Amino acid sequence: MNLARSFLAASLVAAAGFSVLPVSSAQAADLGGNAVPGVCMLSREAVFAQSKVGQAASQRLGQLAEQARTQLENQRKPLDTDVKAFQQKAPSLSDADRKQQGEALQQRMQTFRGQAGELDQRIQLTRAKAMQRIGQEAEPIVASVYKSHNCGLLLDRDSVLGGNTTNDLTPGVVQGLDGKITTISFNLEPLPANTGK
């Protein structure tokens, strides 16, 4: 894979929050003028937001995040109950018992916070891997649409403040991606074995 294609794949991967918000407001204003031959634009965010595979990935990531949230809530409820019970009985406990039970509850809270942090890291890792896969699927389509429009320069459409948007490759890339892949399957990624502990 040459450097330009590697950069494109990395750019597509970096673009993304899997947002499915309409991106027309971010589109460059059509101020008229002549199209500049060879200068093309692409909105990576719009490719992910408008393509079927990007929307499917966003939906799946939302499901995984909701499952993680539910799992954490289920773990948190008994902990909260135990904290309230401790607070109510603490005045009647001896200093040694109060200290021992308080430290045990603090340890459980730290363990819970650690689990919550790990789940968040796993969701971020899952998002990055899904984005990378979509970027890899989009890469040859971007290259094909780029060549078919006789482009010599590709700009990020979301950075263009205004001008003639005739050479916007985004719709062609979305269409090509939709024709190639409409969904991907993935589960929550495990954390790497060496997390620096």
Side-chain angles (χ1 to χ4, degrees):
M1 182 186 300
N2 67 29
L3 183 61
R5 290 178 66 193
S6 298
F7 174 74
L8 177 60
S11 296
L12 286 171
V13 168
F18 282 115
S19 172
V20 288
L21 298 173
V23 291
S24 58
S25 62
Q27 203 169 21
D30 187 359
L31 298 176
N34 296 327
V36 179
V39 176
C40 299
M41 294 178 285
L42 175 70
S43 172
R44 298 165 298 199
E45 290 83 1
V47 168
F48 288 106
Q50 296 171 4
S51 68
K52 291 176 184 174
V53 69
Q55 292 172 5
S58 179
Q59 182 179 16
R60 177 65 179 146
L61 194 63
Q63 291 170 347
L64 293 173
E66 180 62 24
Q67 289 171 1
R69 188 186 64 77
T70 301
Q71 177 184 343
L72 287 174
E73 281 182 8
N74 291 338
Q75 291 175 355
R76 177 78 187 236
K77 286 177 186 176
L79 183 56
D80 286 344
T81 300
D82 290 348
V83 167
K84 287 179 185 175
F86 172 73
Q87 290 171 340
Q88 289 175 350
K89 69 179 181 178
S92 65
L93 295 173
S94 69
D95 287 345
D97 286 343
R98 187 171 39 250
K99 180 179 178 185
Q100 180 185 13
Q101 291 179 27
E103 287 174 354
L105 282 173
Q106 285 180 334
Q107 181 61 42
R108 285 176 60 195
M109 284 296 287
Q110 286 178 330
T111 299
F112 174 80
R113 285 188 207 111
Q115 290 171 336
E118 284 181 7
L119 274 173
D120 183 56
Q121 290 175 5
R122 291 179 67 194
I123 289 169
Q124 297 305 321
L125 180 61
T126 303
R127 172 183 287 124
K129 288 203 174 191
M131 293 299 300
Q132 181 179 18
R133 174 146 178 233
I134 294 171
Q136 289 169 344
E137 295 287 347
E139 184 181 316
I141 296 165
V142 171
S144 175
V145 174
Y146 180 88
K147 288 176 187 170
S148 72
H149 280 76
N150 296 316
C151 299
L153 178 66
L154 184 61
L155 301 176
D156 179 0
R157 183 186 79 187
D158 300 317
S159 297
V160 175
L161 299 176
N164 186 313
T165 59
T166 302
N167 291 332
D168 183 1
L169 307 183
T170 307
V173 173
V174 169
Q175 183 179 13
L177 197 53
D178 285 350
K180 181 179 183 182
I181 185 171
T182 58
T183 190
I184 57 173
S185 298
F186 56 89
N187 291 312
L188 201 58
E189 290 286 331
L191 288 178
N194 182 6
T195 57
K197 290 182 181 178

